[in-house]
Amino acid sequence: MKSKVLFTTIGYIEWRKGQDILIDAIEGIPDKILEECEFLLIGQDCSCIARKLKERVTEMRGITIAGTVSREEIHRILDATDVLICPSREDPMPTVCAEAMMHRVPCMVSDAVGTAEYISNYVNGLVFKSEDADGLREQILWCVEFRDALKQMGNEAHKVYEDNFSIAAFEKNLISYVNEMMSMAGDMRK
């Protein structure tokens, strides 16, 4: 078993994406538990909020703001990640969650993220109330305490990916839609 749980956040560092909520949550984690965690924030980091967050985390252990990385690096990072955190204040359907699920990584998302509709708490991911740093912290603590459950949760997340976000799922939905439209067109001709 790895010595630390790697939590990753991927997305442009801005107010809407809620990385500040994540930092608020991390600040309340006891040092003994923080020693078992690593937090990696990936994404364009030239915004005003990114600069403020960089200043804020300089004295905090276990947090890295890495800026932008290549697509290949995203896949490598996701392969090493234990939990993807998407703390957005609003985010209709972030592709990074589908990518994480493709890599068998469970997602911890706010209820303002569209992906939350596909997540069953503690089965294939985790959902917390938007802007609730305390709720986010509780779920981080759960992941550290029950890290052995994360692999199975990731496998269940992969099923969500296969059923909803994969090319096969897209093709199935498209064919169903086309057939439905053809049927409606046939009915209109009658």
Side-chain angles (χ1 to χ4, degrees):
M1 178 170 40
K2 293 181 351 183
S3 61
K4 294 188 178 198
V5 179
L6 176 58
F7 297 93
T8 302
T9 299
I10 302 172
Y12 190 93
I13 299 177
E14 62 179 345
W15 181 86
R16 184 177 71 89
K17 294 289 189 175
Q19 291 95 341
D20 58 311
I21 299 165
L22 174 58
I23 301 304
D24 290 344
I26 295 168
E27 283 181 330
I29 296 175
D31 287 342
K32 183 173 173 58
I33 295 172
L34 267 180
E35 292 172 4
E36 299 178 51
C37 302
E38 187 176 346
F39 297 91
L40 179 59
L41 282 72
I42 303 292
Q44 198 168 29
D45 59 352
C46 58
S47 67
C48 181
I49 192 168
R51 287 189 297 276
K52 289 179 182 176
L53 286 180
K54 284 180 189 178
E55 290 173 17
R56 191 171 161 195
V57 303
T58 56
E59 300 297 318
M60 297 173 73
R61 288 180 301 158
I63 301 174
T64 302
I65 298 178
T68 56
V69 300
S70 69
R71 292 299 312 150
E72 296 80 26
E73 186 69 5
I74 292 286
H75 290 290
R76 190 192 66 71
I77 289 166
L78 286 173
D79 283 339
T81 295
D82 295 298
V83 179
L84 178 89
I85 300 177
C86 186
S88 298
R89 289 179 167 90
E90 62 162 327
D91 211 335
M93 193 59 70
T95 57
V96 70
C97 290
E99 285 181 305
M101 291 175 176
M102 180 178 74
H103 285 267
R104 299 182 186 276
V105 175
C107 297
M108 181 185 302
V109 302
S110 81
D111 61 3
V113 172
T115 312
E117 295 297 318
Y118 297 91
I119 294 177
S120 297
N121 247 345
Y122 305 101
V123 174
N124 57 17
L126 300 154
V127 180
F128 62 95
K129 187 170 173 27
S130 180
E131 299 198 52
D132 181 7
D134 293 334
L136 174 54
R137 181 182 314 109
E138 287 173 23
Q139 289 187 332
I140 292 169
L141 295 173
W142 184 91
C143 289
V144 173
E145 183 175 352
F146 297 102
R147 68 179 76 186
D148 293 338
L150 296 178
K151 184 172 177 66
Q152 180 58 35
M153 193 181 286
N155 290 334
E156 293 298 320
H158 186 74
K159 291 177 187 174
V160 172
Y161 166 78
E162 288 294 334
D163 293 344
N164 299 285
F165 304 116
S166 68
I167 295 294
F170 175 76
E171 288 173 353
K172 179 182 167 190
N173 290 337
L174 181 60
I175 289 168
S176 175
Y177 177 74
V178 168
N179 288 338
E180 184 180 323
M181 291 297 110
M182 289 175 64
S183 176
M184 288 174 60
D187 290 345
M188 294 173 128
R189 289 184 194 150
K190 291 180 184 178

